Structure formats: C-alpha cells, structure tokens
C-alpha cells in the first residue's frame, strides 16, 4: 500500500487537514514551525527586502516525516483485520519494531494488553473517533489512546483504517494512584477513629436484647458524628443513647467522642433523662458552639415496662408491639444540644414484653428527594414486618431503607428488644414487694419477708443470708432517715438478685466512716462490703430508691 495516499484527518471534514482544528496530530504543526521554517527572522523576511515569504503547506510535507517526529506513539492499520501499515519511531522505541502488512492481533500484543482491538473494530465500523484514558500496558506504562478512523481520500469504496495515537501518561497515572491510595488511607483512619469512639461491645442487660449497626456514609474521608450507647444503671435499669453531631470530618467525630463520654458520666449519676440532656446541653456549647448535635436519651425500667426518654432535636423513637403495631414516641422534643435557654422535659412510651424499640439517626430516613416525615413513615412500615433477633432486625431495616455502601450519609441504628419469656426461662425472672407500714416493727417484717421469698426462689443458703442482711440494713436506713411511703422490692433475673428500698425523702445516702463508739452509720458500709454493687437515685415522685445487687453463681 502506498502510505502517502492516506490522510490523517478526522471523518466528516471536507477541508484540508492543514486547516482542520480537530486534527489528531496538532503537535505536528508546532514541531513543524520549529524545525522546518529555519532560523530566519520571525516575520518571514530573511533578506530584509520587505517581501514576506510563505512557508510550505501541510500537503507539501510527508505524513511519514510528521508522524515520525511526534513524541507520542502512532500506528496506522487498515482493513477489518487491522493490518499494520506504519508505526513511528516513538512506537518502535516503546514496543519494538513491528512487521508491516501483518494483522495487529498477531504482531502487536500491546494492543490486546490495552484492550484496544474491540475499540478499533467499533471505530472502523462507526467512523467515529474514540478515546480511552490511562490504560496500563504489560510494560507498566500507562497510555491515553485515541483511535481515529481514516479513509482513502481518492477511493471512496476503500475498506479504511484506524490511526492509533497513544500518549504516555504514566507519571499522571502514578500520581493519581498515589492520591487515591492516600485518600483511601485517610478514610480508613477517619473511619477507624469513628468506630473506636463507639462501643466496642454493647452491654447486654438482663431484661433486654440489644444490637446496633453503624455505617459511614459515602466513599470520601469525611466521616460523620453519629453515635449510640447502652449503659447499665443498676437495679435492672438501662440507659439507651443515640446521637448525631452535624457535619463531617474528624472534628465532628472528636466532638461526638466528648459528648458520648459526658453522657456516660452523667448517666452514672442516675438522673432522669431530661436532667441528663440539660447537663449535656451546657457542655455541648462549651465544647464547640459551632457544632450542632442532636441526642435522644432513654431509660428502661423492667419493673414498670416503660421507656422514659428525653430528646434534644432528635428523631422520634419507634416501638413495635408483638402484633406488629408500631408506635411513635410523641413526647416533647427540645432544640439541639448547645443552643441553651431551653428546659428539657421527659416523656414515656410503653415497652412491654415482646416489643421492639428502634433508635436511629437521620441518615437512615433522610433523602434529598422527599420530606423526612416520609422517611420515618417508610421506617415504620419496614419495622412493622421486621421479626427476628435484634441484629436481624437491624439488617432488615438497613436493606428496606436501601442503605448501601454508597449511601451519602452516616447511619447509626440501635435495636432494643424486651423478650417475652415463657417456660423454664420465665422461671428465672421473678418479682416480689412489700409495703413497709408502721414504725420500727417494719424492719423484722422486712427480714421475714426477704427470708421467705429468697428461700422460695431456691437460692443457696449463703446467698439467702446475705440477701436478708442487705435488705435489713437498707430498710433500717430508710426507717431512720427516710419518710413514708416505704417499700421493699426483691427481684431476680437469670444473672443477679436485686434488692431495692424506696421512700419519700429525696436525700441520697452516702457512705461514711463510723467511729468505734458510734451506734449507727455502718449500714451502707455493710451493704457495700457484702453486695456486688449498690447505688441510689431520686425517684420522679420526689423520693429516693436505694438498691444493691448480688451476682448469682453460674
């Protein structure tokens, strides 16, 4: 084939290639201007006569000379089997010499490595140029390749060919890969930080079964500030926490970590939910007034079958009954944390045996295309049909709300089940209580009551004696320092014995050192020394509750 009969211009352009701005070899013009015009004056007047000379046009030059000088790799093939017509010096330097008039599939394995042969077939059929970016060859170099159809300019019925123009972009590809690796490393670091600030293992109370899921949003390094927590408060009560620090990045995660730590500290005070949020509100403003955070704090009391909760700008808690009916916590919701000037209040929602509660962040239900109330309604529908263990419910809710790895917002979900126990399991959970009436004679009645109940629960003799001693000391302390009404409550679970005494005085007891001559002041010290743990809290009615726990032998 006579190579000089081929034209290197794009299809569909009737003008000459020298005037075609879309020419696939624009660099040839610049190189030609530097190497062909010579060293004469830039104005084209070599003899100073004022007669401007006109340089040769592109048609006056050999295409072989132009393509041969290009630093890019150029190959020309023709026919449906892409027989090699020409390769320039840069191509030969990169891949070695190539025999002419041999199919490219046989003599140019690099085109297979770059997955170009199917693309060349498509270009030959369609007559449309195609470009692929940053393809890596077997040598390790990366190339951006443009395949341009070329036609015999005299014979319109010729089968045609393809001009392959490859620019070496190895440096750019390596830099991009290093950037991707760096971003991936930063994201892993940020996600690790976020996860390290979340509970590594959820506490599992005696009366509840709990599971949680956290998924960072998107694929960038900017994680969010979603968190959850489960805190056992003693006497069988459990605090449940869900929160969200608005914004993204390490700063949001750091603020989240501080708030979560503060919530755990405030929870140990065994305060009502609204008082915990009141303290947290002031702390949030001190940590970072520019960060907006929402939080819901709830306490479950197995004796009452209720969730007592308070919310600072957070989405409502959902509770699914055993029959599939879903209830939404409709109690008062205050503004987000850190705003100040708001008095938070507590509300209640029933959590009877067999029910499931779900606490979640807005990433689960918020979508740009719809109102957030629609997202909460979708979650209610998904929860109504979600059965199984807490972890199974978590997974089903995530799938139902289309939460995938590409979801653009962080998601935290906390699922809490209050199982309905029957049969042998139910025999491990019992309650008994006695109203303490009268004066000092209430103490022996309380000891007799405790002895009978603990014996009927078939505890070991040693544990029965310790339980009766603890009950007597707590009752005596309440009789001396408290006010009516008074009540002794005994409760057993599959893991512990709980003894609690309530009265109408809100002054909390504290342990103190009794002098050798003192006749009183040793009750709390005795309880602390024999029990696994003890504590006290104020009750909503204005009184207090003092309790202790004994771990049951396995």
């Amino acid at each position: 084939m006579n190579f000089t009969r081929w034209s290197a211009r794009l299809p569909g352009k009737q003008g000459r290639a020298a005037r075609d701005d879309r020419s696939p070899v624009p660099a040839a013009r610049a190189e030609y201007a530097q190497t062909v015009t010579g060293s004469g004056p830039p104005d084209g007047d070599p003899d100073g006569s004022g007669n401007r000379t006109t340089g040769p046009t592109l048609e006056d030059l050999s295409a072989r000379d132009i393509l041969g000088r290009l630093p890019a790799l150029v190959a020309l093939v023709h026919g449906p089997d892409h027989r090699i017509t020409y390769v320039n010096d840069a191509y030969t330097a990169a891949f070695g010499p190539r025999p002419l008039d041999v199919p490219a599939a046989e003599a140019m394995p690099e085109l297979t490595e770059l997955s170009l042969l199917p693309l060349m077939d498509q270009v030959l059929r369609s007559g449309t140029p195609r470009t692929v970016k940053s393809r890596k060859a077997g040598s390790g170099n990366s190339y951006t390749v443009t395949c341009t159809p070329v036609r015999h300019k005299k014979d319109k019925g010729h089968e045609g060919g393809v001009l392959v123009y490859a620019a070496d972009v190895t440096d750019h590809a390596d830099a991009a890969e290093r950037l991707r690796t760096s971003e991936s490393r930063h994201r892993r670091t940020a996600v690790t930080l976020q996860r390290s600030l979340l509970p590594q293992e959820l506490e599992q109370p005696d009366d509840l079964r709990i599971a949680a899921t956290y998924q960072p949003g998107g694929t960038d390094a900017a994680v969010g500030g979603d968190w959850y927590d489960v805190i056992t408060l003693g006497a069988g009560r459990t605090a449940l926490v869900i929160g969200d620090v608005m914004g993204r990045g390490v700063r949001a995660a750091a603020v989240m970590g501080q708030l979560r730590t503060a919530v755990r500290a405030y929870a140990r005070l065994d305060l009502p939910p609204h008082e915990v949020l009141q303290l947290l509100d002031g702390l949030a403003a001190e940590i970072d007034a520019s960060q907006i955070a929402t939080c819901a704090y709830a306490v479950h009391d197995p004796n009452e079958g209720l969730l007592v909760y308070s919310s600072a700008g957070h989405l409502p808690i959902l509770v699914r009954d055993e029959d599939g009916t879903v209830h939404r916590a409709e109690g008062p919701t205050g503004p987000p944390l850190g705003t100040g000037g708001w008095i938070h209040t507590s509300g209640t929602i029933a959590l009877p045996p067999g029910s499931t509660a779900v606490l979640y962040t807005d990433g689960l239900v918020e979508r740009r295309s719809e109102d957030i109330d629609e997202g909460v309604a979708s979650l209610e529908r998904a929860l109504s049909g979600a059965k199984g263990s807490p972890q199974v419910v978590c997974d089903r809710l995530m799938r139902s709300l289309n939460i995938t790895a590409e979801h653009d917002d962080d998601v935290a979900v906390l699922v809490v089940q209050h199982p309905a126990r029957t049969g042998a399991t139910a025999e491990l959970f019992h309650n008994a209580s006695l109203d303490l009436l009268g004066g000092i004679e209430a103490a022996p009645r309380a000891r007799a009551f405790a002895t009978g109940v603990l014996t009927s629960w078939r505890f070991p003799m040693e544990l029965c004696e310790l339980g009766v001693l603890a009950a007597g000391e707590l009752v005596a302390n309440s009789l001396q320092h408290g006010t009516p009404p008074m009540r002794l409550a005994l409760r057993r679970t599959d893991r512990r014995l709980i003894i609690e005494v309530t009265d109408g005085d809100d002054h909390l007891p504290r342990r103190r050192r009794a002098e050798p001559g003192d006749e009183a002041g040793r009750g709390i010290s005795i309880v602390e020394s024999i029990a696994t743990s003890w504590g006290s809290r104020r009750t909503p009615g204005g009184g207090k509750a003092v309790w202790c726990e004994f771990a049951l032998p396995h």
Side-chain angles (χ1 to χ4, degrees), residues 405-429:
E406 290 74 30
H407 189 61
D408 61 357
D409 195 5
D410 289 18
V411 176
V413 181
L414 185 65
V415 174
V416 181
Q417 286 185 347
H418 186 189
R421 296 179 175 88
T422 57
T425 304
E427 291 300 316
L428 300 178
F429 292 80

Short mmCIF file of all heavy atoms in Angstrom, two decimals, residues 405-429:
data_model
loop_
_atom_site.label_atom_id
_atom_site.label_comp_id
_atom_site.label_asym_id
_atom_site.label_seq_id
_atom_site.Cartn_x
_atom_site.Cartn_y
_atom_site.Cartn_z
N ALA A 405 -23.34 0.65 50.66
CA ALA A 405 -22.01 1.21 50.92
C ALA A 405 -21.85 2.57 50.27
O ALA A 405 -21.00 3.36 50.68
CB ALA A 405 -20.93 0.25 50.41
N GLU A 406 -22.66 2.88 49.24
CA GLU A 406 -22.56 4.16 48.55
C GLU A 406 -23.49 5.22 49.15
O GLU A 406 -23.57 6.33 48.62
CB GLU A 406 -22.90 3.99 47.06
CG GLU A 406 -21.84 3.21 46.27
CD GLU A 406 -21.86 1.73 46.56
OE1 GLU A 406 -22.96 1.20 46.87
OE2 GLU A 406 -20.79 1.09 46.50
N HIS A 407 -24.20 4.88 50.21
CA HIS A 407 -25.11 5.86 50.84
C HIS A 407 -24.32 7.08 51.29
O HIS A 407 -23.23 6.96 51.84
CB HIS A 407 -25.82 5.21 52.02
CG HIS A 407 -26.93 6.04 52.59
ND1 HIS A 407 -28.04 6.41 51.87
CD2 HIS A 407 -27.10 6.60 53.81
CE1 HIS A 407 -28.84 7.14 52.62
NE2 HIS A 407 -28.29 7.28 53.81
N ASP A 408 -24.88 8.28 51.06
CA ASP A 408 -24.11 9.51 51.22
C ASP A 408 -24.16 10.09 52.63
O ASP A 408 -23.68 11.21 52.84
CB ASP A 408 -24.58 10.57 50.22
CG ASP A 408 -26.05 10.94 50.41
OD1 ASP A 408 -26.70 10.32 51.28
OD2 ASP A 408 -26.54 11.82 49.70
N ASP A 409 -24.69 9.37 53.62
CA ASP A 409 -24.73 9.90 54.98
C ASP A 409 -24.49 8.76 55.96
O ASP A 409 -24.81 7.61 55.69
CB ASP A 409 -26.09 10.56 55.26
CG ASP A 409 -26.06 11.44 56.50
OD1 ASP A 409 -24.97 11.61 57.08
OD2 ASP A 409 -27.13 11.96 56.89
N ASP A 410 -23.91 9.12 57.11
CA ASP A 410 -23.69 8.12 58.14
C ASP A 410 -25.02 7.63 58.68
O ASP A 410 -26.00 8.37 58.74
CB ASP A 410 -22.88 8.71 59.29
CG ASP A 410 -21.43 8.96 58.90
OD1 ASP A 410 -21.16 9.00 57.69
OD2 ASP A 410 -20.59 9.11 59.79
N VAL A 411 -25.03 6.36 59.10
CA VAL A 411 -26.25 5.75 59.64
C VAL A 411 -25.88 5.01 60.93
O VAL A 411 -24.93 4.21 60.94
CB VAL A 411 -26.89 4.78 58.64
CG1 VAL A 411 -28.09 4.08 59.27
CG2 VAL A 411 -27.31 5.51 57.37
N ALA A 412 -26.62 5.28 61.98
CA ALA A 412 -26.50 4.52 63.23
C ALA A 412 -27.89 4.05 63.63
O ALA A 412 -28.84 4.83 63.61
CB ALA A 412 -25.89 5.37 64.34
N VAL A 413 -28.00 2.77 63.95
CA VAL A 413 -29.29 2.17 64.34
C VAL A 413 -29.07 1.35 65.61
O VAL A 413 -28.12 0.56 65.69
CB VAL A 413 -29.86 1.27 63.23
CG1 VAL A 413 -31.21 0.70 63.64
CG2 VAL A 413 -29.99 2.04 61.92
N LEU A 414 -29.95 1.54 66.58
CA LEU A 414 -29.91 0.78 67.83
C LEU A 414 -31.26 0.09 68.00
O LEU A 414 -32.30 0.75 68.05
CB LEU A 414 -29.64 1.73 69.00
CG LEU A 414 -29.45 1.11 70.39
CD1 LEU A 414 -28.20 0.25 70.43
CD2 LEU A 414 -29.38 2.20 71.45
N VAL A 415 -31.26 -1.24 68.03
CA VAL A 415 -32.49 -2.03 68.16
C VAL A 415 -32.51 -2.68 69.53
O VAL A 415 -31.54 -3.37 69.93
CB VAL A 415 -32.59 -3.09 67.05
CG1 VAL A 415 -33.79 -4.01 67.28
CG2 VAL A 415 -32.70 -2.42 65.69
N VAL A 416 -33.60 -2.47 70.28
CA VAL A 416 -33.74 -2.96 71.65
C VAL A 416 -35.00 -3.83 71.73
O VAL A 416 -36.09 -3.36 71.42
CB VAL A 416 -33.84 -1.79 72.64
CG1 VAL A 416 -33.96 -2.32 74.06
CG2 VAL A 416 -32.65 -0.85 72.50
N GLN A 417 -34.83 -5.07 72.14
CA GLN A 417 -35.98 -5.97 72.29
C GLN A 417 -36.18 -6.32 73.77
O GLN A 417 -35.22 -6.59 74.49
CB GLN A 417 -35.76 -7.26 71.50
CG GLN A 417 -35.91 -7.08 70.00
CD GLN A 417 -35.81 -8.41 69.26
OE1 GLN A 417 -35.39 -9.42 69.81
NE2 GLN A 417 -36.18 -8.39 67.99
N HIS A 418 -37.45 -6.28 74.18
CA HIS A 418 -37.84 -6.76 75.51
C HIS A 418 -38.52 -8.10 75.30
O HIS A 418 -39.71 -8.17 75.00
CB HIS A 418 -38.78 -5.76 76.17
CG HIS A 418 -39.11 -6.11 77.58
ND1 HIS A 418 -40.07 -5.44 78.31
CD2 HIS A 418 -38.62 -7.07 78.43
CE1 HIS A 418 -40.14 -5.95 79.51
NE2 HIS A 418 -39.28 -6.94 79.61
N PRO A 419 -37.77 -9.19 75.42
CA PRO A 419 -38.34 -10.50 75.05
C PRO A 419 -39.44 -10.95 76.01
O PRO A 419 -39.41 -10.65 77.21
CB PRO A 419 -37.12 -11.44 75.12
CG PRO A 419 -36.16 -10.76 76.04
CD PRO A 419 -36.38 -9.29 75.87
N ALA A 420 -40.41 -11.63 75.44
CA ALA A 420 -41.48 -12.25 76.23
C ALA A 420 -41.02 -13.65 76.60
O ALA A 420 -40.83 -14.51 75.73
CB ALA A 420 -42.77 -12.29 75.43
N ARG A 421 -40.80 -13.89 77.89
CA ARG A 421 -40.23 -15.16 78.34
C ARG A 421 -41.34 -16.11 78.78
O ARG A 421 -42.28 -15.72 79.49
CB ARG A 421 -39.24 -14.92 79.48
CG ARG A 421 -38.03 -14.10 79.04
CD ARG A 421 -37.08 -13.85 80.20
NE ARG A 421 -35.87 -13.18 79.74
CZ ARG A 421 -35.75 -11.86 79.65
NH1 ARG A 421 -36.77 -11.09 79.99
NH2 ARG A 421 -34.63 -11.32 79.22
N THR A 422 -41.17 -17.36 78.42
CA THR A 422 -42.14 -18.40 78.80
C THR A 422 -41.36 -19.64 79.21
O THR A 422 -40.16 -19.77 78.94
CB THR A 422 -43.07 -18.75 77.62
OG1 THR A 422 -42.27 -19.17 76.50
CG2 THR A 422 -43.91 -17.55 77.21
N GLY A 423 -42.06 -20.57 79.85
CA GLY A 423 -41.45 -21.84 80.21
C GLY A 423 -40.35 -21.71 81.24
O GLY A 423 -40.42 -20.91 82.18
N ALA A 424 -39.27 -22.47 81.03
CA ALA A 424 -38.18 -22.51 82.00
C ALA A 424 -37.47 -21.16 82.11
O ALA A 424 -37.01 -20.79 83.19
CB ALA A 424 -37.18 -23.60 81.61
N THR A 425 -37.41 -20.44 81.01
CA THR A 425 -36.75 -19.14 81.06
C THR A 425 -37.51 -18.17 81.95
O THR A 425 -36.91 -17.39 82.70
CB THR A 425 -36.64 -18.55 79.64
OG1 THR A 425 -35.95 -19.48 78.80
CG2 THR A 425 -35.89 -17.24 79.65
N ALA A 426 -38.82 -18.22 81.89
CA ALA A 426 -39.62 -17.31 82.71
C ALA A 426 -39.42 -17.58 84.20
O ALA A 426 -39.57 -16.67 85.03
CB ALA A 426 -41.10 -17.45 82.35
N GLU A 427 -39.08 -18.84 84.57
CA GLU A 427 -38.89 -19.17 85.98
C GLU A 427 -37.65 -18.50 86.56
O GLU A 427 -37.47 -18.46 87.78
CB GLU A 427 -38.77 -20.69 86.15
CG GLU A 427 -40.06 -21.43 85.88
CD GLU A 427 -41.17 -20.98 86.82
OE1 GLU A 427 -40.90 -20.84 88.03
OE2 GLU A 427 -42.30 -20.77 86.34
N LEU A 428 -36.77 -17.98 85.70
CA LEU A 428 -35.56 -17.31 86.18
C LEU A 428 -35.79 -15.84 86.46
O LEU A 428 -34.87 -15.14 86.90
CB LEU A 428 -34.44 -17.46 85.14
CG LEU A 428 -34.02 -18.90 84.81
CD1 LEU A 428 -32.95 -18.89 83.72
CD2 LEU A 428 -33.53 -19.61 86.06
N PHE A 429 -37.00 -15.34 86.20
CA PHE A 429 -37.31 -13.92 86.42
C PHE A 429 -38.52 -13.82 87.35
O PHE A 429 -39.61 -14.30 87.02
CB PHE A 429 -37.61 -13.22 85.08
CG PHE A 429 -36.41 -13.09 84.19
CD1 PHE A 429 -35.98 -14.17 83.43
CD2 PHE A 429 -35.70 -11.90 84.13
CE1 PHE A 429 -34.87 -14.06 82.61
CE2 PHE A 429 -34.59 -11.78 83.31
CZ PHE A 429 -34.17 -12.87 82.55
#
